[in-house]
Amino acid sequence: MPTQPAKPPAAPARDGPEHAFPEGFWRALERRRPPGLNRIAWRSPLRGRWLTSVFGAVLLACLPLVILTGLLDYIAYGPQFHQAIPGNVGWLRLPLFDWPTRPAWLFRLTQGLHVGLGLVLVPVLLAKLWSVVPKLFAWPPARSLAHVLERVSLLFLVGGILFEIVTGVLNIQYDYVFGFSFYTAHYFGAWVFTGAFVVHVALKFPIMVRALRSRSPRAVLRTSRADTKPEPADDSGLVAPNPRQATLSRRGALALVGGGSALVAVLTVGQTVGGFTRQAAVLLPRGRSYGSGPNAFQVNRTARSARITAGDVGSGWQLSVRGGPSVLRLDRDRLLVHRQYTADLPIACVEGWSSTQSWSGVRLGDLAALSGVAHVHSAVVTSLERAGAFRRSILTRDQVLDPDSLLALRVNGADLSVDHGYPARVIVPALPGVHCTKWVASIEFRSTGNA
Amino acid sequence: MREAVHRLRRAYGGHPLHLLLLLASFALTGYAVVHLIGAPSLARMVVWFLAAVIGHDLVLFPLYTAADHSITGLLRRRWHGRQPTVPVLNHVRVPALGTILLLLLFLPGIIRQGARTYLNATGQTQEPFLGRWLLLTAAMFTISALVYAIRAWRARTRAAKVRPATARPAAKAR
């Protein structure tokens, strides 16, 4: 190892002219180096384009999937019925389509991927940021207007992804300390990030490919800590001019980051996959057990917090079925003598967790037929809840007519518990959990004509 | 035309396409932010956005770097600059990073923040999370210590096997 500081690399070759317009300004800026910056010594021998590019490649492969699943989930909420949040997004969404009911695990998959992959990428993102941090403190901060714009874009890139992670991580743990609408902030924050992400990929992709080709992965995996040498000096601003001896090999660093992601994966996947894996999700709300019994599965919004009283759900409860020539009022006994169907369906939530149960009840399609509405276009389901963002939801025609779409009265062979929506709740394949309305008070079927 | 492009490149410091790409991206950012104008909490969102960057770049990063430096220095002093047969550093680093990662990701449950919304949503409390995180921390440090002990023991037995053979070749002929 060199015992004296290596010479700083000779005037690095850069693309384009040395100093752009106005030349004097950029030169003067370069000369005014704050004295504190000299005290920061970047000495890790691991930093360099290759390592940054490995983390970058992983993020490039995975983040588009996180973005896409997020945008799909917006469609799953039904923007055509103005029930997706935020309401007005202009052109900032995927083309509209009716969210399908098949496969039944579609929302479970998209949202599970969105949350799970997002969490698993956190160690990779932190490693990527660690690998490029010397550039944050580089002097001069810019050499041209092009450079200034690029750095502003980097603020949106780094700020965007960190903002998305912070709000997402808080939301899945029901911590709303930030005090703004999670949906609105997370949605528009994602677009701020995405814009900067596209620019970053466009500008850095060729550099990444070149850097990845500069080193054989197999050689890296064979190199021990003792043999780990810094990457050759270049104009990247990442390679330490005076590196210390490696305390970790490159393969060790990759294993450390991969191990961090694996740890997060083990602690997360159970909330989506369920079964015995749920026990491994020990730090997440949805890894916790509800004991045993037919109703012992994850509750989202308790009856108490929805202010559902015993009187609301007592023997006086009746379901109103509207839309036809007259309003039908059916009590629970009337519903139970109707033909009952059973469907094993997951209930999946925006926080990424899901749980498959065996639901039984009356088909929504049968209720539509009963109401006398001939050509169902949609259905408005209203809860007994008096307040709350999700006291009402609108279902598409396909969601009403799917044979597994039920007004569930029972789950796993027993009556629903009040926390799970007794006397009756909606369950529809692939529908976001918050739209599977609990404590249903009325269903209004709308025909094609008066939709 | 070529002359104009060259002049722009010189003044701007990059290719004209670079400029167009960045302007398009800023326009998209602007379009997203315009939807938030009038939202009562826009200022809070901006504050959280900037706090996320500052929190990582100027708080979290310096903190973990400083912690790593002090561990590295402490171990070097402990070994008086000599290298132990099996370096201890990464056996501290790895579980420490693991536990910090889990603390960062699962902080609300561990410190029981948002207890009310949590109870309303799930019907449960956040009571077990602190204990579970501490148990995971203990497990990670214990496993790391065990791996260290095994590596140190193997290094010592290997050294013991090598030494008689090289230092006292005559011993074999006893």
Short mmCIF file of all heavy atoms in Angstrom, two decimals, chain A residues 312-359:
data_model
loop_
_atom_site.label_atom_id
_atom_site.label_comp_id
_atom_site.label_asym_id
_atom_site.label_seq_id
_atom_site.Cartn_x
_atom_site.Cartn_y
_atom_site.Cartn_z
N ASP A 312 -76.27 -1.37 15.57
CA ASP A 312 -76.16 -1.31 14.10
C ASP A 312 -76.24 -2.70 13.48
O ASP A 312 -76.78 -2.87 12.39
CB ASP A 312 -74.80 -0.70 13.69
CG ASP A 312 -74.71 0.78 14.01
OD1 ASP A 312 -75.77 1.41 14.08
OD2 ASP A 312 -73.58 1.27 14.19
N VAL A 313 -75.61 -3.66 14.16
CA VAL A 313 -75.45 -4.97 13.55
C VAL A 313 -76.33 -6.02 14.23
O VAL A 313 -76.13 -7.22 14.04
CB VAL A 313 -73.96 -5.41 13.57
CG1 VAL A 313 -73.11 -4.43 12.78
CG2 VAL A 313 -73.44 -5.53 15.00
N GLY A 314 -77.30 -5.56 15.02
CA GLY A 314 -78.18 -6.48 15.75
C GLY A 314 -79.22 -7.11 14.84
O GLY A 314 -79.13 -7.03 13.60
N SER A 315 -80.26 -7.68 15.47
CA SER A 315 -81.26 -8.42 14.69
C SER A 315 -82.07 -7.50 13.79
O SER A 315 -82.72 -7.94 12.85
CB SER A 315 -82.18 -9.19 15.63
OG SER A 315 -82.71 -8.27 16.58
N GLY A 316 -82.02 -6.19 14.05
CA GLY A 316 -82.77 -5.25 13.21
C GLY A 316 -82.10 -4.92 11.88
O GLY A 316 -82.68 -4.23 11.05
N TRP A 317 -80.90 -5.42 11.69
CA TRP A 317 -80.15 -5.08 10.46
C TRP A 317 -80.85 -5.61 9.22
O TRP A 317 -81.35 -6.75 9.21
CB TRP A 317 -78.73 -5.66 10.55
CG TRP A 317 -77.93 -5.45 9.28
CD1 TRP A 317 -77.24 -4.36 8.93
CD2 TRP A 317 -77.77 -6.40 8.21
NE1 TRP A 317 -76.65 -4.54 7.71
CE2 TRP A 317 -76.96 -5.78 7.24
CE3 TRP A 317 -78.24 -7.71 7.98
CZ2 TRP A 317 -76.59 -6.41 6.05
CZ3 TRP A 317 -77.88 -8.33 6.78
CH2 TRP A 317 -77.06 -7.68 5.84
N GLN A 318 -80.90 -4.81 8.22
CA GLN A 318 -81.43 -5.23 6.92
C GLN A 318 -80.55 -4.69 5.82
O GLN A 318 -80.04 -3.57 5.92
CB GLN A 318 -82.84 -4.66 6.72
CG GLN A 318 -83.91 -5.42 7.47
CD GLN A 318 -85.28 -4.88 7.13
OE1 GLN A 318 -85.45 -3.68 6.88
NE2 GLN A 318 -86.27 -5.75 7.11
N LEU A 319 -80.38 -5.49 4.79
CA LEU A 319 -79.65 -5.03 3.61
C LEU A 319 -80.64 -4.42 2.63
O LEU A 319 -81.65 -5.05 2.32
CB LEU A 319 -78.93 -6.21 2.94
CG LEU A 319 -78.30 -5.91 1.58
CD1 LEU A 319 -77.01 -5.13 1.75
CD2 LEU A 319 -78.05 -7.19 0.80
N SER A 320 -80.36 -3.19 2.19
CA SER A 320 -81.21 -2.60 1.16
C SER A 320 -80.60 -2.89 -0.20
O SER A 320 -79.42 -2.60 -0.41
CB SER A 320 -81.31 -1.09 1.33
OG SER A 320 -81.57 -0.77 2.66
N VAL A 321 -81.38 -3.44 -1.10
CA VAL A 321 -80.91 -3.66 -2.46
C VAL A 321 -81.70 -2.73 -3.37
O VAL A 321 -82.91 -2.83 -3.48
CB VAL A 321 -81.12 -5.14 -2.88
CG1 VAL A 321 -80.63 -5.36 -4.31
CG2 VAL A 321 -80.40 -6.07 -1.92
N ARG A 322 -80.99 -1.77 -3.95
CA ARG A 322 -81.64 -0.74 -4.75
C ARG A 322 -81.29 -0.87 -6.22
O ARG A 322 -80.37 -1.59 -6.57
CB ARG A 322 -81.21 0.65 -4.27
CG ARG A 322 -81.55 0.93 -2.83
CD ARG A 322 -80.79 2.16 -2.36
NE ARG A 322 -80.77 2.20 -0.91
CZ ARG A 322 -81.73 2.77 -0.18
NH1 ARG A 322 -82.76 3.33 -0.76
NH2 ARG A 322 -81.65 2.74 1.13
N GLY A 323 -82.00 -0.11 -7.01
CA GLY A 323 -81.69 -0.05 -8.45
C GLY A 323 -82.83 -0.58 -9.29
O GLY A 323 -83.04 -0.14 -10.41
N GLY A 324 -83.58 -1.52 -8.74
CA GLY A 324 -84.71 -2.08 -9.49
C GLY A 324 -85.96 -1.25 -9.28
O GLY A 324 -85.89 -0.15 -8.74
N PRO A 325 -87.12 -1.79 -9.69
CA PRO A 325 -88.38 -1.05 -9.57
C PRO A 325 -88.71 -0.72 -8.11
O PRO A 325 -89.30 0.32 -7.83
CB PRO A 325 -89.42 -2.00 -10.17
CG PRO A 325 -88.70 -3.27 -10.53
CD PRO A 325 -87.25 -3.07 -10.39
N SER A 326 -88.32 -1.60 -7.17
CA SER A 326 -88.58 -1.28 -5.77
C SER A 326 -87.36 -1.66 -4.94
O SER A 326 -86.54 -2.47 -5.37
CB SER A 326 -89.81 -2.04 -5.26
OG SER A 326 -89.52 -3.43 -5.36
N VAL A 327 -87.27 -1.06 -3.76
CA VAL A 327 -86.15 -1.35 -2.87
C VAL A 327 -86.43 -2.65 -2.12
O VAL A 327 -87.50 -2.81 -1.53
CB VAL A 327 -85.95 -0.20 -1.87
CG1 VAL A 327 -84.80 -0.52 -0.92
CG2 VAL A 327 -85.69 1.10 -2.60
N LEU A 328 -85.48 -3.58 -2.20
CA LEU A 328 -85.64 -4.83 -1.45
C LEU A 328 -84.96 -4.68 -0.10
O LEU A 328 -83.87 -4.12 -0.02
CB LEU A 328 -84.97 -5.99 -2.20
CG LEU A 328 -85.49 -6.35 -3.58
CD1 LEU A 328 -84.65 -7.47 -4.16
CD2 LEU A 328 -86.95 -6.77 -3.46
N ARG A 329 -85.61 -5.20 0.93
CA ARG A 329 -84.95 -5.19 2.24
C ARG A 329 -84.85 -6.62 2.72
O ARG A 329 -85.86 -7.30 2.90
CB ARG A 329 -85.74 -4.35 3.24
CG ARG A 329 -85.74 -2.89 2.84
CD ARG A 329 -86.31 -1.98 3.90
NE ARG A 329 -86.62 -0.68 3.32
CZ ARG A 329 -85.70 0.26 3.11
NH1 ARG A 329 -84.45 0.04 3.44
NH2 ARG A 329 -86.05 1.40 2.56
N LEU A 330 -83.60 -7.06 2.88
CA LEU A 330 -83.36 -8.46 3.24
C LEU A 330 -82.64 -8.51 4.56
O LEU A 330 -81.60 -7.87 4.72
CB LEU A 330 -82.49 -9.13 2.15
CG LEU A 330 -82.96 -8.98 0.71
CD1 LEU A 330 -81.89 -9.47 -0.26
CD2 LEU A 330 -84.25 -9.75 0.49
N ASP A 331 -83.20 -9.27 5.53
CA ASP A 331 -82.43 -9.43 6.77
C ASP A 331 -81.50 -10.63 6.62
O ASP A 331 -81.48 -11.30 5.59
CB ASP A 331 -83.36 -9.53 8.00
CG ASP A 331 -84.27 -10.74 7.93
OD1 ASP A 331 -84.02 -11.64 7.07
OD2 ASP A 331 -85.23 -10.82 8.72
N ARG A 332 -80.74 -10.91 7.66
CA ARG A 332 -79.69 -11.91 7.53
C ARG A 332 -80.28 -13.31 7.29
O ARG A 332 -79.73 -14.09 6.52
CB ARG A 332 -78.79 -11.90 8.78
CG ARG A 332 -77.37 -12.35 8.49
CD ARG A 332 -76.41 -11.97 9.57
NE ARG A 332 -75.07 -12.43 9.23
CZ ARG A 332 -74.62 -13.66 9.40
NH1 ARG A 332 -75.41 -14.56 9.94
NH2 ARG A 332 -73.40 -13.98 9.05
N ASP A 333 -81.41 -13.59 7.93
CA ASP A 333 -82.02 -14.91 7.73
C ASP A 333 -82.48 -15.09 6.29
O ASP A 333 -82.31 -16.16 5.70
CB ASP A 333 -83.22 -15.09 8.69
CG ASP A 333 -82.76 -15.20 10.13
OD1 ASP A 333 -81.58 -15.61 10.33
OD2 ASP A 333 -83.52 -14.86 11.06
N ARG A 334 -83.03 -14.02 5.70
CA ARG A 334 -83.45 -14.09 4.30
C ARG A 334 -82.24 -14.36 3.39
O ARG A 334 -82.32 -15.14 2.45
CB ARG A 334 -84.10 -12.75 3.87
CG ARG A 334 -85.57 -12.62 4.20
CD ARG A 334 -86.47 -13.40 3.23
NE ARG A 334 -86.37 -13.03 1.81
CZ ARG A 334 -86.92 -11.96 1.26
NH1 ARG A 334 -87.63 -11.11 2.00
NH2 ARG A 334 -86.80 -11.73 -0.03
N LEU A 335 -81.13 -13.69 3.72
CA LEU A 335 -79.92 -13.87 2.90
C LEU A 335 -79.39 -15.30 3.04
O LEU A 335 -78.91 -15.89 2.08
CB LEU A 335 -78.85 -12.87 3.31
CG LEU A 335 -79.10 -11.42 2.86
CD1 LEU A 335 -78.19 -10.46 3.60
CD2 LEU A 335 -78.92 -11.28 1.36
N LEU A 336 -79.49 -15.84 4.25
CA LEU A 336 -78.92 -17.18 4.50
C LEU A 336 -79.71 -18.29 3.81
O LEU A 336 -79.16 -19.36 3.55
CB LEU A 336 -78.83 -17.44 6.00
CG LEU A 336 -77.60 -16.84 6.70
CD1 LEU A 336 -77.76 -16.87 8.20
CD2 LEU A 336 -76.32 -17.54 6.28
N VAL A 337 -81.00 -18.06 3.52
CA VAL A 337 -81.76 -19.10 2.82
C VAL A 337 -81.56 -19.02 1.31
O VAL A 337 -81.93 -19.92 0.58
CB VAL A 337 -83.27 -19.09 3.15
CG1 VAL A 337 -83.49 -19.40 4.62
CG2 VAL A 337 -83.91 -17.76 2.76
N HIS A 338 -80.94 -17.93 0.86
CA HIS A 338 -80.56 -17.86 -0.55
C HIS A 338 -79.48 -18.89 -0.81
O HIS A 338 -78.78 -19.30 0.10
CB HIS A 338 -80.01 -16.47 -0.87
CG HIS A 338 -80.97 -15.70 -1.68
ND1 HIS A 338 -81.10 -15.84 -3.02
CD2 HIS A 338 -81.89 -14.78 -1.30
CE1 HIS A 338 -82.04 -15.04 -3.45
NE2 HIS A 338 -82.53 -14.39 -2.42
N ARG A 339 -79.30 -19.25 -2.11
CA ARG A 339 -78.25 -20.21 -2.44
C ARG A 339 -76.88 -19.65 -2.01
O ARG A 339 -76.51 -18.55 -2.40
CB ARG A 339 -78.26 -20.49 -3.94
CG ARG A 339 -77.27 -21.53 -4.30
CD ARG A 339 -77.73 -22.41 -5.43
NE ARG A 339 -76.71 -23.41 -5.63
CZ ARG A 339 -76.41 -23.92 -6.80
NH1 ARG A 339 -77.09 -23.57 -7.86
NH2 ARG A 339 -75.46 -24.82 -6.91
N GLN A 340 -76.15 -20.42 -1.19
CA GLN A 340 -74.85 -19.97 -0.67
C GLN A 340 -73.72 -20.54 -1.53
O GLN A 340 -73.79 -21.68 -1.98
CB GLN A 340 -74.67 -20.45 0.78
CG GLN A 340 -75.78 -20.01 1.72
CD GLN A 340 -75.70 -18.53 2.07
OE1 GLN A 340 -74.72 -18.08 2.62
NE2 GLN A 340 -76.75 -17.79 1.74
N TYR A 341 -72.72 -19.73 -1.72
CA TYR A 341 -71.52 -20.17 -2.44
C TYR A 341 -70.31 -19.93 -1.55
O TYR A 341 -70.32 -19.06 -0.68
CB TYR A 341 -71.34 -19.40 -3.74
CG TYR A 341 -72.41 -19.70 -4.76
CD1 TYR A 341 -73.62 -19.02 -4.75
CD2 TYR A 341 -72.20 -20.69 -5.72
CE1 TYR A 341 -74.61 -19.31 -5.67
CE2 TYR A 341 -73.19 -20.99 -6.66
CZ TYR A 341 -74.39 -20.30 -6.63
OH TYR A 341 -75.35 -20.59 -7.56
N THR A 342 -69.28 -20.75 -1.79
CA THR A 342 -68.04 -20.58 -1.02
C THR A 342 -66.89 -20.33 -1.99
O THR A 342 -66.82 -20.96 -3.04
CB THR A 342 -67.77 -21.84 -0.18
OG1 THR A 342 -68.85 -22.00 0.73
CG2 THR A 342 -66.46 -21.71 0.60
N ALA A 343 -66.03 -19.39 -1.64
CA ALA A 343 -64.86 -19.09 -2.48
C ALA A 343 -63.65 -18.86 -1.59
O ALA A 343 -63.76 -18.16 -0.58
CB ALA A 343 -65.13 -17.85 -3.33
N ASP A 344 -62.52 -19.47 -1.98
CA ASP A 344 -61.26 -19.20 -1.27
C ASP A 344 -60.60 -18.01 -1.95
O ASP A 344 -60.13 -18.13 -3.09
CB ASP A 344 -60.33 -20.42 -1.35
CG ASP A 344 -60.85 -21.56 -0.50
OD1 ASP A 344 -61.75 -21.32 0.33
OD2 ASP A 344 -60.37 -22.70 -0.67
N LEU A 345 -60.59 -16.89 -1.27
CA LEU A 345 -60.07 -15.67 -1.90
C LEU A 345 -59.13 -14.94 -0.95
O LEU A 345 -59.36 -14.92 0.26
CB LEU A 345 -61.22 -14.73 -2.25
CG LEU A 345 -62.13 -15.15 -3.39
CD1 LEU A 345 -63.25 -14.13 -3.55
CD2 LEU A 345 -61.36 -15.28 -4.70
N PRO A 346 -58.09 -14.34 -1.52
CA PRO A 346 -57.23 -13.52 -0.67
C PRO A 346 -57.87 -12.16 -0.44
O PRO A 346 -58.56 -11.63 -1.32
CB PRO A 346 -55.96 -13.36 -1.51
CG PRO A 346 -56.41 -13.50 -2.92
CD PRO A 346 -57.62 -14.39 -2.91
N ILE A 347 -57.65 -11.62 0.75
CA ILE A 347 -57.96 -10.22 0.96
C ILE A 347 -56.59 -9.55 1.04
O ILE A 347 -55.72 -9.99 1.77
CB ILE A 347 -58.84 -10.01 2.20
CG1 ILE A 347 -59.21 -8.55 2.35
CG2 ILE A 347 -58.21 -10.51 3.48
CD1 ILE A 347 -60.67 -8.37 2.63
N ALA A 348 -56.37 -8.57 0.18
CA ALA A 348 -55.04 -7.97 0.07
C ALA A 348 -55.14 -6.47 0.25
O ALA A 348 -56.09 -5.85 -0.21
CB ALA A 348 -54.43 -8.28 -1.30
N CYS A 349 -54.17 -5.92 0.95
CA CYS A 349 -54.24 -4.52 1.31
C CYS A 349 -53.13 -3.72 0.66
O CYS A 349 -52.13 -4.25 0.24
CB CYS A 349 -54.18 -4.36 2.82
SG CYS A 349 -55.45 -3.25 3.39
N VAL A 350 -53.33 -2.41 0.63
CA VAL A 350 -52.36 -1.52 0.00
C VAL A 350 -51.03 -1.55 0.76
O VAL A 350 -49.99 -1.25 0.21
CB VAL A 350 -52.95 -0.10 -0.10
CG1 VAL A 350 -53.00 0.58 1.24
CG2 VAL A 350 -52.18 0.73 -1.10
N GLU A 351 -51.05 -1.94 2.02
CA GLU A 351 -49.80 -2.03 2.79
C GLU A 351 -49.00 -3.27 2.41
O GLU A 351 -47.96 -3.54 3.01
CB GLU A 351 -50.08 -2.03 4.29
CG GLU A 351 -50.63 -0.73 4.82
CD GLU A 351 -52.15 -0.77 4.94
OE1 GLU A 351 -52.71 -1.87 4.95
OE2 GLU A 351 -52.76 0.32 5.00
N GLY A 352 -49.48 -4.04 1.46
CA GLY A 352 -48.70 -5.16 0.94
C GLY A 352 -49.03 -6.49 1.59
O GLY A 352 -48.59 -7.53 1.12
N TRP A 353 -49.84 -6.50 2.65
CA TRP A 353 -50.12 -7.78 3.30
C TRP A 353 -51.37 -8.42 2.69
O TRP A 353 -52.20 -7.75 2.09
CB TRP A 353 -50.31 -7.60 4.81
CG TRP A 353 -51.48 -6.75 5.20
CD1 TRP A 353 -51.48 -5.40 5.34
CD2 TRP A 353 -52.82 -7.19 5.48
NE1 TRP A 353 -52.73 -4.97 5.67
CE2 TRP A 353 -53.56 -6.03 5.78
CE3 TRP A 353 -53.45 -8.43 5.51
CZ2 TRP A 353 -54.92 -6.09 6.10
CZ3 TRP A 353 -54.80 -8.49 5.82
CH2 TRP A 353 -55.51 -7.33 6.12
N SER A 354 -51.47 -9.70 2.83
CA SER A 354 -52.68 -10.38 2.35
C SER A 354 -52.87 -11.67 3.13
O SER A 354 -51.97 -12.15 3.80
CB SER A 354 -52.61 -10.64 0.85
OG SER A 354 -51.39 -11.23 0.51
N SER A 355 -54.08 -12.22 2.98
CA SER A 355 -54.45 -13.39 3.76
C SER A 355 -55.60 -14.08 3.03
O SER A 355 -56.59 -13.43 2.70
CB SER A 355 -54.88 -12.92 5.15
OG SER A 355 -55.50 -13.96 5.84
N THR A 356 -55.44 -15.37 2.74
CA THR A 356 -56.49 -16.08 2.00
C THR A 356 -57.42 -16.80 2.97
O THR A 356 -56.95 -17.49 3.87
CB THR A 356 -55.85 -17.10 1.04
OG1 THR A 356 -54.99 -16.39 0.17
CG2 THR A 356 -56.91 -17.82 0.22
N GLN A 357 -58.72 -16.62 2.79
CA GLN A 357 -59.72 -17.26 3.66
C GLN A 357 -60.81 -17.87 2.79
O GLN A 357 -60.93 -17.55 1.61
CB GLN A 357 -60.34 -16.23 4.63
CG GLN A 357 -59.33 -15.43 5.43
CD GLN A 357 -58.47 -16.27 6.35
OE1 GLN A 357 -58.89 -17.34 6.82
NE2 GLN A 357 -57.25 -15.82 6.61
N SER A 358 -61.60 -18.70 3.42
CA SER A 358 -62.71 -19.35 2.74
C SER A 358 -64.00 -18.61 3.10
O SER A 358 -64.49 -18.71 4.23
CB SER A 358 -62.76 -20.81 3.19
OG SER A 358 -63.76 -21.47 2.48
N TRP A 359 -64.52 -17.85 2.15
CA TRP A 359 -65.69 -16.99 2.40
C TRP A 359 -66.94 -17.66 1.85
O TRP A 359 -66.90 -18.27 0.79
CB TRP A 359 -65.52 -15.65 1.70
CG TRP A 359 -64.18 -14.99 1.90
CD1 TRP A 359 -63.08 -15.17 1.13
CD2 TRP A 359 -63.83 -14.07 2.92
NE1 TRP A 359 -62.06 -14.40 1.62
CE2 TRP A 359 -62.47 -13.71 2.71
CE3 TRP A 359 -64.51 -13.49 3.99
CZ2 TRP A 359 -61.79 -12.83 3.54
CZ3 TRP A 359 -63.83 -12.59 4.80
CH2 TRP A 359 -62.49 -12.27 4.59
#
